[in-house]
């Protein structure tokens, strides 16, 4: 089963909550709606989401106070959080960020902007979530258990291929030069020819099987891991559908 990121939407205005939820759902997220701080806390107690969209102005306890509480709690402090608010001045923005918000969106906002910020925050947070699985288009890597699977089929990777994939998935859709990959994956104290990167990318693709097409060569620039490979691989298409 592919994991869709769960997003807790804490918003007391039903029309705005609905607009956000519909857009999240259409873009591969699993939204849950809480209309006040008490029900938001219940949702957090039940299961931690992958991200929280938190309205500042809520009846009862404010979003800012909730943000501070969640950030001070060991269990909830790592959950990415974006504050939503009609209050757009700098002092408020600073207060929101000081409370531990990863980002801040002023109302009114476009749904495009909201989705872009949600994705950006999830991308930024992904590499820090040690022990959490990264899932991209059915390809899943769990750094705690060192397991990799594609559409629930376990894959066997060598240690270097694992590190390489971990880095690429933690920084997906971006192009990395061979030199950058050497720095990040092998460490800059190691002297290795850049061609070594090509060898391991080739091994990684082979190990990934149908998902190998997700590791793209960008001519003259380097490599990238993408959820939408430009080269269609029959196996990948079949696996994605299955
Ligand atoms: Ca509100």
């Amino acid at each position: 089963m592919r994991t869709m990121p769960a997003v807790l939407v804490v918003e007391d205005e039903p029309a705005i909550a609905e607009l956000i939820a519909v857009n999240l759902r259409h873009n591969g997220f699993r939204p849950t709606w809480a209309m006040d701080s008490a029900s938001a806390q219940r949702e957090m107690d039940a299961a931690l989401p992958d991200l929280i969209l938190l309205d500042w102005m809520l009846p009862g306890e404010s979003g800012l106070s909730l943000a501070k509480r969640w950030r001070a709690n060991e269990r909830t402090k790592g959950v990415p959080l974006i504050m939503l608010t009609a209050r757009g001045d700098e002092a408020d923005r600073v207060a929101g960020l000081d409370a531990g918000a990863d980002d801040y969106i002023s109302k009114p906002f476009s749904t495009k902007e909201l989705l872009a910020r949600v994705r950006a925050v999830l991308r930024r947070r992904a590499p820090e979530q040690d022990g959490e699985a990264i899932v991209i288009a059915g390809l899943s890597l769990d750094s705690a258990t060192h397991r990799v699977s594609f559409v629930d089929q376990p894959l066997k990777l060598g240690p270097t291929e694992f590190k390489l994939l971990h880095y690429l998935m933690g920084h997906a859709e971006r192009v990395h030069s061979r030199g950058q990959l050497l720095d990040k994956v092998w460490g800059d104290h190691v002297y290795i020819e850049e061609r070594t990167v090509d060898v391991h990318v080739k091994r990684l693709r082979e190990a990934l099987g149908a998902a190998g097409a997700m590791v793209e060569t960008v001519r003259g620039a380097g490599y990238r891991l993408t959820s939408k490979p430009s080269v269609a691989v029959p196996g990948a298409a079949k696996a994605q559908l299955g």
Side-chain angles (χ1 to χ4, degrees):
M1 196 176 69
R2 253 169 285 167
T3 314
M4 293 187 290
V7 179
L8 175 60
V9 181
V10 189
E11 167 65 68
D12 59 310
E13 285 159 80
I16 296 177
E18 179 65 21
L19 178 74
I20 294 173
V22 164
N23 277 281
L24 286 174
R25 214 170 288 130
H26 284 171
N27 286 278
F29 297 93
R30 204 155 34 86
T32 315
W33 176 34
M35 64 185 306
D36 56 32
S37 56
S39 47
Q41 186 61 56
R42 274 198 299 277
E43 292 291 342
M44 292 290 279
D45 292 343
L48 291 183
D50 295 294
L51 183 132
I52 305 163
L53 286 172
L54 178 57
D55 185 27
W56 183 307
M57 300 292 280
L58 293 168
E61 186 179 9
S62 75
L64 189 67
S65 156
L66 264 182
K68 283 182 182 160
R69 187 141 55 83
W70 288 338
R71 281 298 182 252
N73 179 288
E74 194 60 38
R75 180 173 165 267
T76 53
K77 71 178 185 190
V79 182
L81 190 152
I82 300 176
M83 295 284 299
L84 300 174
T85 181
R87 313 165 65 148
D89 68 57
E90 199 191 346
D92 286 338
R93 225 176 352 254
V94 170
L97 296 172
D98 276 352
D102 293 276
D103 204 353
Y104 188 99
I105 304 176
S106 300
K107 292 176 184 174
F109 49 82
S110 76
T111 50
K112 262 189 184 160
E113 183 194 1
L114 178 90
L115 288 165
R117 284 176 187 257
V118 164
R119 290 194 183 106
V121 166
L122 284 174
R123 260 200 313 272
R124 277 209 306 268
R125 282 306 195 97
E128 294 166 24
Q129 290 179 350
D130 268 342
E132 301 251 340
I134 308 175
V135 184
I136 299 170
L139 181 62
S140 163
L141 179 147
D142 190 327
S143 54
T145 59
H146 260 245
R147 285 205 174 103
V148 178
S149 63
F150 181 55
V151 207
D152 277 353
Q153 295 299 308
L155 302 170
K156 271 190 95 81
L157 266 65
T160 303
E161 284 70 50
F162 183 89
K163 275 178 77 177
L164 181 59
L165 182 64
H166 192 189
Y167 183 75
L168 289 172
M169 287 182 75
H171 304 81
E173 310 298 340
R174 269 184 272 168
V175 181
H176 308 279
S177 71
R178 288 168 179 79
Q180 284 166 342
L181 289 173
L182 275 179
D183 271 10
K184 302 292 183 186
V185 178
W186 280 263
D188 54 8
H189 57 285
V190 180
Y191 182 78
I192 306 174
E193 284 182 64
E194 295 198 345
R195 275 190 47 190
T196 307
V197 177
D198 302 338
V199 171
H200 286 280
V201 166
K202 185 167 178 285
R203 282 190 201 154
L204 174 60
R205 282 196 187 116
E206 285 165 3
L208 292 178
M214 288 171 68
V215 181
E216 280 192 336
T217 303
V218 181
R219 202 179 293 258
Y223 295 103
R224 105 174 119 213
L225 186 122
T226 177
S227 59
K228 299 179 191 72
S230 54
V231 184
V233 169
K238 226 170 84 189
Q240 296 271 4
L241 289 172

